[in-house]
Amino acid sequence: MTPDERRASIAELVMARGRQSVDHLADTFGVSAETIRRDLARLSEEGRVRKVHGGVQQAPLHAEGSFDERVAEDAPAKAAIAQRLAQIVHPGETLFVDTGSTTLAAARALAAIPGLTIVTNAHAVAAAFDARAHVYCVGGRYRADNRQTVGPIAIEDLARFQADRAVLTVAAIGREAGAADADFDEAQVARAMIAHARQTVVLATAAKFARRAAFQVCRTAEIDLLITDRRPESDLAMDMHAAGGSVLVAPAPAAGRDETPPAPRIAQPA
């Protein structure tokens, strides 16, 4: 078991069974207590667990920082995920793109693909495209914190479109809870995009595995394609595969560890 796999297993164990002691984890994984302490420090930094005296417990529900802070977090991983997405999107597709630092990175990569139609509630995403794309911004209540529109009007506007793919980023993703956001309004916008798209694509850095967030976007089985910078724990990948979904790892997964994404399903006019 690699250190990454061990840490993922520790996070899953804590989520399933609650508080765990350092000694118990050392015995369970057959490593030293000092190794476990380093693992717990790493998991705590990533927000996946909370360190307590002598062990670890479940982390609280994830609360996101400001948009500018999130843009700076894991920037290389987000850029790699964006480039992986750009490799599978074809000229002429129609895409929903929601608000987020990872989808902003995706928009910058997608801007090189000609003839796209982009429907978004994120002003920064819209601004990433030039005249080669057809960009539609939905209305609604404007929130300056994330430079986005949300609320009933945004959701009503989204229902006027049909898209090949809904390209979404989330605050957390896990086997049991599925994909989730830390903001109620953003989760509702994402759900509306899913409802009017033929394919659901979730972009998520590995730091978001095993986090918990308050507002569900969709179940794991509803994700057609997950693009990430590190392969998720085997149970999550297996559940997605069983439901017909795929996982792509950026930038270049080892041979035999990638899955072929489903062919894009072309939307019909509303």
Side-chain angles (χ1 to χ4, degrees), residues 107-192:
R108 291 166 176 163
L110 293 171
I113 301 174
L116 295 180
T117 297
I118 304 298
V119 183
T120 184
N121 69 318
H123 287 208
V125 165
F129 293 91
D130 59 24
R132 289 175 294 181
H134 306 284
V135 180
Y136 296 85
C137 294
V138 300
R141 178 170 62 89
Y142 182 70
R143 284 180 39 181
D145 53 352
N146 286 346
R147 300 186 285 281
Q148 65 178 331
T149 51
V150 295
I153 295 174
I155 292 170
E156 181 180 342
D157 280 359
L158 287 167
R160 302 176 189 273
F161 297 89
Q162 296 290 319
D164 297 304
R165 311 176 199 255
V167 178
L168 312 171
T169 189
V170 294
I173 184 169
R175 183 185 185 192
E176 299 298 328
D181 273 330
D183 182 277
F184 173 81
D185 287 328
E186 291 182 8
Q188 300 310 302
V189 167
R191 290 169 69 91

Side-chain angles (χ1 to χ4, degrees), residues 30-103:
V31 296
S32 69
E34 186 58 34
T35 296
I36 290 296
R37 290 189 183 95
R38 288 195 295 269
D39 286 341
L40 299 185
R42 174 77 173 270
L43 291 169
S44 178
E45 289 173 2
E46 294 175 351
R48 301 170 70 179
V49 299
R50 171 181 282 180
K51 290 175 63 178
V52 295
H53 181 69
V56 69
Q57 65 184 25
Q58 286 187 355
L61 293 175
H62 182 66
E64 292 186 320
S66 72
F67 186 79
D68 290 339
E69 289 171 341
R70 285 182 281 130
V71 167
E73 292 174 356
D74 294 328
K78 292 172 183 177
I81 290 169
Q83 290 299 324
R84 199 73 171 94
L85 173 67
Q87 292 171 5
I88 65 169
V89 170
H90 302 286
E93 287 193 21
T94 297
L95 307 176
F96 289 131
V97 184
D98 75 349
T99 302
S101 56
T102 310
T103 44

